């Protein structure tokens, strides 16, 4: 076995975090390393936690870590926060809520910035998951950035998706039917001691009722989580949440849906890898020769349209390949 | 080729609750284009060192206004060394009397900034002295 692979499989946090960074920074050697690591990935159970900004995703993640550690599960966490589109910098603040686990060798928390990715994650998320899988984490929790309705890349990575909602946003559910509401395997109504909780719960339940009429299968349960600052009741609710996630995991296995999801995930991985190995080099080359700018100029002045430009680039690129 | 992004951590060791400076700094670092992990207050040196390694940061910035820097700052450096991460630079700031500078430098703190230090000078120091891993 390759020595890097050996060390990462043995749980070397330094090397693992550095490799995740190489992936984020798109270093060419990162890809080669992931190739070697890939055979050792795919054995962890992956939980996605998503929902609006400030919904309480990190606080729930922290509590889930604690619950899973009580069962002696090792946990990896990828916590994604937004990159500033203006400066390229980012404040990665999810970790604040999870710092009590910092000294626990069974927990590895790594923050990621979105770096321009629009799906609620980072381009590095997929491979960062692979690294944590190779480290042998039993469970990997992926916290997305605070999202709206459509930033749902998480479904291509997680086995179970937890959608966190909070009361008091009016009749949001009506308008949130698409996207976010459809990807939930488990709903959490968080801060469920606030005004509007009953209404949210009723709306959610009736939405789920309508949806369930067209068949059996998994019914996303709703877990009402009260105040994080009432430790006893909160811990009970987190235990319930953990049970529901586990039930969903069992359901996936027993119904055969797990293989379906793995297939979908593999397709998404091919898609990502293909665009990384085909598209990115072309764009980089065009950018370095200045062609990209001159194409942009042509489109700007309406001397050309983007489709023709794309076709021309595609043609050139493949002719070049043929001649070799 | 995309370049390496500088990753830094801003941490508040000990019981000190003065977090305004740390927050201001975190925001300013973001605006300078760094990726900034903020740990919040009340961190033990052990938590800080272990988080710095998990996050693969190039620099740990410790902020302390309570007077406990003499014990806490060197401890973080020592722990990073013990964990094989002496390549992570540690700097500090806050209410730090000048007579403490020598012992902190001696302990491996690479720079110290006190009230009135301009944020630009801090960013400048980082850009000059930190080469991303
Ligand atoms: C605002 C303030 C408070 C606020 C804090 C609000 C908050 N959330 O931050 C409140 C009112 C809560 C408070 C409370 C107390 N305070 Co007070 N407080 C201050 C005050 C007036 C300003 C601090 C501040 O925010 N400055 C603005 C920020 C931007 O500056 P800064 O943090 O110094 O950061 C700059 C530099 O130091 C440097 N820097 C700082 N950290 C870092 C880190 C890195 C990595 C780098 C590179 C640079 C860097 O860069 C920044 C930019 O220049 C100072 C006096 C002073 N002039 O500093 C006293 C002061 C810090 N407080 C003091 C005291 C004693 C207290 C209390 C104990 C009072 C009491 N008896 O209850 C409590 C304790 C609170 C606690 N839990 O720890 C003393 C500390 C004495 C000491 N160290 O010997 C001071 C110095 C006042 C004094 N002269 O006595 N305080
Ligand atoms: N009242 C109450 N506040 C909570 C609860 N859970 C979290 N909060 C608070 O809500 C705020 C946001 O919590 P986070 O856990 O950081 O939320 P998040 O969804 O991770 O936020 P982003 O990652 O920024 O999108 C914090 O101030 C928490 O203290 C809860 O159950 N009840
Ligand atoms: Mg969060």
């Amino acid at each position: 076995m390759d020595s890097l692979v050996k060390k990462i499989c043995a749980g070397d946090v330094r090397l693992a975090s550095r490799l995740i960074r190489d992936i984020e920074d798109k270093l060419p050697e990162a890809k080669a390393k992931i190739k070697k690591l890939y055979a050792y990935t795919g054995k962890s159970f992956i939980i996605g936690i998503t929902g609006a900004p400030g919904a309480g995703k990190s606080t729930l993640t922290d509590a889930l870590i604690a619950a899973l550690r009580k069962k002696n599960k090792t946990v990896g966490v990828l916590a994604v926060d937004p990159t500033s589109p203006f400066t390229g910098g980012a404040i990665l603040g999810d970790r604040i809520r999870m710092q009590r686990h910092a000294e626990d060798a069974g927990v590895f928390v790594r923050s990621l910035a979105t770096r321009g990715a629009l799906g609620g994650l980072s381009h590095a998320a997929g491979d960062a998951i692979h690294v944590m899988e190779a480290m042998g984490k039993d469970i990997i929790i992926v916290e997305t950035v605070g999202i709206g309705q459509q930033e749902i890349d998480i479904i291509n990575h997680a086995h179970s998706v937890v959608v966190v909602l909070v009361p008091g946003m009016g009749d949001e559910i009506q308008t949130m039917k698409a996207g976010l509401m459809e990807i939930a395997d488990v709903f959490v109504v968080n801060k469920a001691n606030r005004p509007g909780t009953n209404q949210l719960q009723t709306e959610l339940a009736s939405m789920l009722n309508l949806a369930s009429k067209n068949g059996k299968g998994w019914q996303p349960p709703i877990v009402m989580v009260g105040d994080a600052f009432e430790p006893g009741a909160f811990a009970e609710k987190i235990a319930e949440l953990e049970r529901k996630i586990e039930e969903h995991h069992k359901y996936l296995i027993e119904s055969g849906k797990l293989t379906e999801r793995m297939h979908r995930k593999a397709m998404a991985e091919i898609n990502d890898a293909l665009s990384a190995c085909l598209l990115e080099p072309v764009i980089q080359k065009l950018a370095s020769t200045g062609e990209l700018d001159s194409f942009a100029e042509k489109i700007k002045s309406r001397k050309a349209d983007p489709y023709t430009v794309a076709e021309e680039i595609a043609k050139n690129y493949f002719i070049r390949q043929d001649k070799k | 080729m995309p370049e390496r992004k500088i990753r830094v951590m801003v941490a508040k060791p000990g019981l000190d609750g003065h977090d305004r400076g740390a927050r201001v700094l975190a925001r300013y670092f973001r605006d300078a284009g760094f990726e900034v992990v903020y740990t919040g207050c009340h961190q033990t040196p052990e938590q800080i060192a272990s988080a710095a390694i998990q996050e693969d940061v190039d620099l740990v910035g410790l902020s302390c206004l309570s007077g406990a820097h003499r014990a806490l700052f060197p401890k973080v450096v020592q722990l990073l060394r013990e964990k094989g991460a002496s390549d992570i630079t540690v700097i500090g700031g806050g209410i730090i009397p000048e007579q403490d500078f020598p012992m902190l430098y001696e302990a491996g703190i690479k720079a110290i900034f006190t009230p009135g230090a301009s944020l630009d000078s801090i960013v400048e120091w980082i850009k000059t002295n930190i080469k991303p891993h």
Side-chain angles (χ1 to χ4, degrees):
Chain A
M1 208 196 277
D2 182 85
S3 89
L4 174 94
V5 171
K6 207 182 224 164
K7 284 180 184 152
I8 288 182
C9 289
D12 190 317
V13 173
R14 273 227 102 182
L15 282 177
S17 190
R18 179 66 45 86
L19 177 52
I20 291 173
R21 187 167 180 190
D22 293 348
I23 299 158
E24 291 186 279
D25 290 336
K26 299 192 175 171
L27 300 197
E29 55 273 28
K31 230 186 274 173
K33 291 175 184 169
I34 294 294
K35 282 186 198 167
K36 287 188 197 147
L37 213 55
Y38 201 83
Y40 305 93
T41 66
K43 294 187 191 71
S44 312
F45 181 62
I46 301 162
I47 303 170
I49 310 258
T50 192
K57 300 179 292 297
S58 302
T59 309
L60 286 172
T61 301
D62 167 71
L64 268 179
I65 299 172
L68 291 165
R69 291 300 291 147
K70 277 213 186 97
K71 297 187 161 176
N72 271 325
K73 306 271 190 201
T74 55
V75 185
V77 176
L78 289 166
V80 189
D81 266 319
T83 295
S84 157
F86 301 108
T87 67
I91 294 186
L92 307 170
D94 292 326
R95 174 175 271 282
I96 299 177
R97 318 252 176 251
M98 311 171 198
Q99 261 304 79
R100 66 172 157 147
H101 305 292
E103 286 177 73
D104 180 349
V107 180
F108 173 25
V109 177
R110 179 61 156 76
S111 309
L112 296 174
T114 53
R115 301 217 184 161
L118 298 175
L121 293 172
S122 139
H123 293 301
D127 280 334
I129 291 172
H130 292 144
V131 173
M132 289 189 169
E133 286 176 328
M135 292 171 85
K137 299 297 173 204
D138 297 319
I139 312 274
I140 298 170
I141 305 178
V142 182
E143 181 190 336
T144 73
V145 294
I147 66 162
Q149 295 177 38
Q150 292 293 340
E151 300 95 326
I152 54 174
D153 276 1
I154 187 67
I155 55 165
N156 292 327
H157 297 283
H159 298 118
S160 296
V161 175
V162 178
V163 170
V164 186
L165 302 173
V166 283
M169 290 160 119
D171 43 14
E172 71 265 55
I173 290 198
Q174 293 304 319
T175 55
M176 276 166 63
K177 279 180 196 133
L180 180 62
M181 302 303 278
E182 291 169 319
I183 66 167
D185 298 307
V186 177
F187 281 102
V188 168
V189 171
N190 204 24
K191 312 189 187 181
N193 51 347
R194 298 203 168 167
T197 298
N198 290 343
Q199 192 196 340
L200 178 59
Q201 189 179 11
T202 317
E203 279 180 28
L204 197 52
S206 75
M207 186 201 82
L208 292 172
N209 248 334
L210 284 177
S212 71
K213 288 228 170 80
N214 39 27
K216 297 193 289 274
W218 178 256
Q219 302 298 318
I222 306 169
V223 183
M224 309 295 292
V225 178
D227 204 316
F229 308 108
E230 279 171 37
F234 184 66
E236 243 169 65
K237 286 303 183 174
I238 294 302
E240 182 185 336
L241 172 60
E242 205 234 316
R243 267 199 313 280
K244 295 296 179 197
I245 295 171
E246 214 177 286
E247 278 167 27
H248 182 247
H249 190 191
K250 270 210 196 93
Y251 162 80
L252 286 178
I253 295 168
E254 284 161 9
S255 65
K257 292 271 186 219
L258 190 65
T259 34
E260 242 173 67
R261 288 204 182 191
M262 297 315 279
H263 194 82
R264 187 174 70 194
K265 190 170 164 160
M267 303 272 265
E269 282 181 31
I270 296 174
N271 194 61
D272 289 351
L274 202 58
S275 88
C277 87
L278 280 183
L279 203 53
E280 278 170 27
V282 178
I283 297 273
Q284 258 172 35
K285 177 143 204 212
L286 291 175
S288 70
T289 57
E291 283 171 281
L292 199 58
D293 279 328
S294 60
F295 280 132
E297 286 300 333
K298 277 192 198 157
I299 292 172
K300 209 164 67 185
S301 60
R302 298 297 185 271
K303 289 202 181 88
D305 67 90
Y307 296 108
T308 310
V309 166
E311 279 161 15
E312 196 179 315
I313 293 170
K315 214 164 72 192
N316 282 342
Y317 181 72
F318 286 113
I319 286 168
R320 248 176 244 167
Q321 292 292 80
D322 289 346
K323 275 182 187 159
K324 271 185 196 164
Chain B
M1 269 292 102
E3 59 188 89
R4 265 271 197 246
K5 196 147 279 227
I6 294 183
R7 280 174 77 86
V8 306
M9 197 167 90
V10 176
K12 288 206 49 76
L15 300 174
D16 174 30
H18 292 92
D19 62 353
R20 192 188 288 165
R23 285 166 186 277
V24 167
L25 225 51
R27 238 170 294 137
Y28 208 79
F29 287 166
R30 177 199 61 195
D31 293 344
F34 307 157
E35 288 184 354
V36 191
V37 180
Y38 179 53
T39 65
C41 293
H42 309 312
Q43 300 295 303
T44 64
E46 286 79 5
Q47 282 176 308
I48 292 170
S50 143
I53 287 171
Q54 289 179 32
E55 296 289 357
D56 194 28
V57 292
D58 304 301
L59 172 117
V60 174
L62 301 170
S63 177
C64 181
L65 281 71
S66 72
H69 52 270
R70 291 173 58 92
L72 295 170
F73 286 12
K75 183 77 186 172
V76 172
V77 178
Q78 182 206 328
L79 286 167
L80 285 173
R81 280 183 188 152
E82 282 170 17
K83 290 170 189 276
S86 46
D87 54 333
I88 299 178
T89 304
V90 181
I91 64 174
I95 306 288
I96 299 172
E98 221 156 288
Q99 67 261 28
D100 290 348
F101 284 21
M103 76 81 73
L104 292 175
Y105 289 139
E106 181 75 16
I109 307 295
K110 290 286 185 283
I112 300 161
F113 296 88
T114 50
S118 87
L119 296 167
D120 286 328
S121 71
I122 299 171
V123 166
E124 206 40 55
W125 189 93
I126 294 175
K127 285 188 171 164
T128 316
N129 291 281
I130 297 300
K131 262 197 36 224
H133 293 147

